[in-house]
Amino acid sequence: MAQPDDAPAIRPGQGLLDQSAAAWIVLGVLLLFTFSMWRFFDAQLEDRSHDRFQHQVDNARSALKNRMQAYEQVLNGTAGLFAASTEVSRAEFRRYVQSLELDEALPGIQGTGFTLMVPGTQRPAHEAAVRAEGFPDYRIHPEGERDTYSTILYLEPFEGRNLRAFGYDMYSEPIRREAMNRARDTGRAAVSGKVVLVQETEDDKQAGFLIYLPVYRDNDVDDVLSRRALLHGFVYSPFRAHDLMQGVFGNSSGNPNGNSSRNSSRNTSGTTTHDVEIEVYDLEADPRNLLYSSRTPDHTPRFTTDRMVEFGGRVWVLRIGSSAQFEQDVRHSEPYLVLLAGIVVDILIFAVIYGSIRHRRKMRRSAARLAESRDEFRTLVENVPGVVFRCAPQPPWRILHINKGILDLTGEPPEHFMGQAHSLAEVIHPDDRPRFEETMMSSILGRTPYEAEFRVRSRFGRVHWVSARGQGVFDRNGSARWMDGVMLDITERRAAEAAIRQLAFIDPLTQLPNRRFLLDRLRQALANSDRTRLFGALLFIDLDHFKDVNDTLGHEAGDSVLTEISQRLKHGVREGDTVARLGGDEFIVMLENLGDKAEDAVEKAEAIAGKVLAELGEPLTVGGHAVTATPSIGVSIFCGQDPGADELIQRADRAMYRAKAAGRNRIEHHLAF
């Protein structure tokens, strides 16, 4: 038998290069190489993109670290001013801060100030002294009695928002106090936690923080106790976080509050801030601790990393992600071009190799197939399941060719049918021949395939069901030359179908029709009644106290009672009436042709129901026990198809329940029909 074109087996005289598998192997190797090159280039570009991102991350962290160190140096210089003088006046402080030109050198700072520590007992005298300097409204605020006050005495530039801070007691607020105490005890700069500066208004409100550096009344301090005893005050700088960070990272950053500032236009960090999006958190990356964010809404960064910046005894978390601009810049098409070009070349090479292999194999097979075709055809026909035949296109369907499968059906060898004396018709059951002939002639006239099921008789008297299908072969003029076909033995299938029908429509215990069969017959009866206008009736029968039989004698005894009841029902009705078991101890008898008048139908149904009532009421013996299974019977009369089958059964069921309610072992009618 011929192999298909793509058969992988290597036949004698063939090499691997003559097999289509060789082309597929080459294609697989080429695709693997192409995929490897694509992954190599893609990984290289990915590493370069990641290195570039890490470089920007390092730049951003360094920029922030360096800027904060620069601010610390400013405070160190300011503290030195106080250390070098016995007393620093307001004018001297202003001239010193102005000389630093912080707006130009270190943009982002809100101001530089000095806060004086005032004991609670000295507050009135202090406020009076400052008022005498020309500030009549000066007071330490917020109000309240405290052991120790701090007051913002100097703050430059002394204008705008900063005026709101004049006289403010930062030591009264817990977050500021913690940073001030830390600076006092260590003698070093201390950064506060996240606060809202007193300079803030309802508009343009930002998160803020402060840097404190202690100023002592004596330079000889070397322990915590001496530092606390000699504390004079603090030089400090307040910062609006967003303004500061924009000064560090540049104007490409966004403001979560939608704010801007006078310092936001400058970036002295040296980092390319459009490549990254930065979030700065105090202590940990919690939304409540957010100081600054340049994150773009609805953008998920391709690269993300967290870096820690420790300064002034405080840890900030920098969460840095790649920006959309960065990801657009590092997106390269080269790897995909390599992949696409490689796949195209691989497919072209595969097509050339595969086409060459197919052509060589096809030429070789063509020659071999011509020599083998007749033997293969004969082998095919002889091994096809069933009977393959060719016959004349008219009765009695003389056999022209038939395979050895006919032996299993008829007991006769193929040679028995090849002569002129025998035909296909003689093995077909006489009852099926007319139908077979009609099917074959219809196929010839319509020039269409045929299908038929019929019985075949063997010489041993056995009968087989067969399914035949095929079609005619016609000449140029449209005349049938012969009929080809295949017959398959379907005896077992027919038996199985009969068994399935038996299970589907017959109750296995009583061998009575079941509910499905009853509904089918009832619908037919309703249609016949509608056509003939003859009445019919349903008897709904339920055995009284049948549960007691099961409970006292067992279910086997109950099954015996049901079997006996079904036999009595068959004998108690007319021939042609339908007796069915709905389930359990419920039965239905369908009566047809009860006359064309309702009164006659009721009378006849009552008579049959009475006979059933008497028949079933007779005692019976089960396992040596006498059992009486009286019935309750509900009767429903019908004529035509209204109501339907289900409603009709329900009416009879309701009548039966009325019989049970009235005392059982009786007949009740459904009054309307």
Side-chain angles (χ1 to χ4, degrees), residues 500-619:
I500 292 173
R501 284 194 297 272
Q502 178 77 6
L503 291 174
F505 296 108
I506 302 300
D507 177 57
L509 175 64
T510 63
Q511 297 302 304
L512 293 177
N514 60 14
R515 183 185 186 92
R516 180 182 296 179
F517 186 88
L518 171 68
L519 287 173
D520 183 62
R521 290 292 300 273
L522 181 54
R523 292 187 182 102
Q524 293 180 23
L526 292 174
N528 293 335
S529 174
D530 189 51
R531 185 177 62 256
T532 63
R533 305 311 299 173
L534 294 178
F535 284 83
L538 282 188
L539 308 184
F540 197 113
I541 302 166
D542 185 270
L543 300 182
D544 300 329
H545 305 296
F546 178 73
K547 183 176 182 298
D548 295 341
V549 177
N550 282 333
D551 292 343
T552 57
L553 302 180
H555 287 281
E556 290 187 4
D559 290 345
S560 298
V561 170
L562 292 176
T563 302
E564 177 62 25
I565 292 297
S566 66
Q567 296 301 318
R568 291 186 180 186
L569 281 174
K570 289 180 183 179
H571 291 81
V573 299
R574 304 171 303 171
E575 185 176 356
D577 293 335
T578 300
V579 180
R581 181 190 180 200
L582 286 188
D585 59 341
E586 294 179 340
F587 298 85
I588 280 188
V589 176
M590 184 180 71
L591 308 175
E592 296 185 78
N593 302 325
L594 296 181
D596 56 359
K597 294 181 180 180
E599 295 78 4
D600 294 340
V602 171
E603 183 179 350
K604 292 179 181 179
E606 177 105 21
I608 296 173
K611 183 179 179 182
V612 169
L613 189 70
E615 186 79 22
L616 299 188
E618 292 293 329

Side-chain angles (χ1 to χ4, degrees), residues 457-502:
R457 299 181 303 177
S458 73
R459 67 174 182 174
F460 305 110
R462 295 186 59 187
V463 175
H464 296 265
W465 275 96
V466 299
S467 173
R469 62 176 58 190
Q471 63 182 18
V473 177
F474 301 86
D475 59 20
R476 295 180 180 178
N477 299 323
S479 300
R481 298 180 60 190
W482 56 72
M483 302 294 289
D484 288 334
V486 177
M487 288 189 296
L488 298 177
D489 189 344
I490 60 170
T491 305
E492 292 184 0
R493 191 194 79 188
R494 293 291 291 244
E497 290 174 351
I500 292 173
R501 284 194 297 272
Q502 178 77 6

Side-chain angles (χ1 to χ4, degrees), residues 50-97:
H50 187 265
D51 291 343
R52 174 177 166 181
F53 171 72
Q54 291 298 327
H55 178 69
Q56 297 299 329
V57 169
D58 293 339
N59 283 349
R61 182 180 182 278
S62 297
L64 181 58
K65 184 76 172 179
N66 293 338
R67 178 63 63 85
M68 298 307 296
Q69 290 174 346
Y71 291 139
E72 182 180 7
Q73 291 303 317
V74 170
L75 292 181
N76 282 328
T78 307
L81 174 66
F82 282 88
S85 303
T86 304
E87 183 176 352
V88 178
S89 68
R90 189 179 304 277
E92 289 174 335
F93 187 83
R94 179 182 300 112
R95 286 194 299 272
Y96 175 78
V97 174

Side-chain angles (χ1 to χ4, degrees), residues 149-171:
Y149 298 90
S150 73
T151 177
I152 298 177
L153 195 60
Y154 304 152
L155 181 58
E156 296 297 332
F158 195 57
E159 60 186 22
R161 294 173 179 269
N162 285 345
L163 296 177
R164 297 167 57 87
F166 187 42
Y168 177 65
D169 181 6
M170 292 186 288
Y171 203 67

Side-chain angles (χ1 to χ4, degrees), residues 17 31 79 124 129 150 171 179 248 260 263 311 314 328 341 352 365 384 400 442 465 487 492 515 527 535 593 628:
L17 293 180
L31 289 175
S150 73
Y171 203 67
V248 176
S260 61
N263 294 324
F311 176 76
R314 200 77 179 178
Q328 179 66 31
V352 171
R365 282 202 184 93
V384 167
L400 303 178
S442 296
W465 275 96
M487 288 189 296
E492 292 184 0
R515 183 185 186 92
F535 284 83
N593 302 325
T628 300

Side-chain angles (χ1 to χ4, degrees), residues 88-165:
V88 178
S89 68
R90 189 179 304 277
E92 289 174 335
F93 187 83
R94 179 182 300 112
R95 286 194 299 272
Y96 175 78
V97 174
Q98 289 177 347
S99 69
L100 297 178
E101 297 182 347
L102 295 179
D103 281 349
E104 296 295 327
L106 296 173
I109 191 170
Q110 181 66 27
T112 302
F114 171 71
T115 182
L116 178 67
M117 301 302 295
V118 179
T121 58
Q122 299 179 14
R123 174 182 175 180
H126 166 77
E127 289 179 341
V130 175
R131 289 169 185 165
E133 293 179 14
F135 301 100
D137 296 328
Y138 172 80
R139 62 181 177 82
I140 297 176
H141 59 91
E143 296 293 341
E145 297 294 332
R146 295 183 286 277
D147 292 337
T148 303
Y149 298 90
S150 73
T151 177
I152 298 177
L153 195 60
Y154 304 152
L155 181 58
E156 296 297 332
F158 195 57
E159 60 186 22
R161 294 173 179 269
N162 285 345
L163 296 177
R164 297 167 57 87

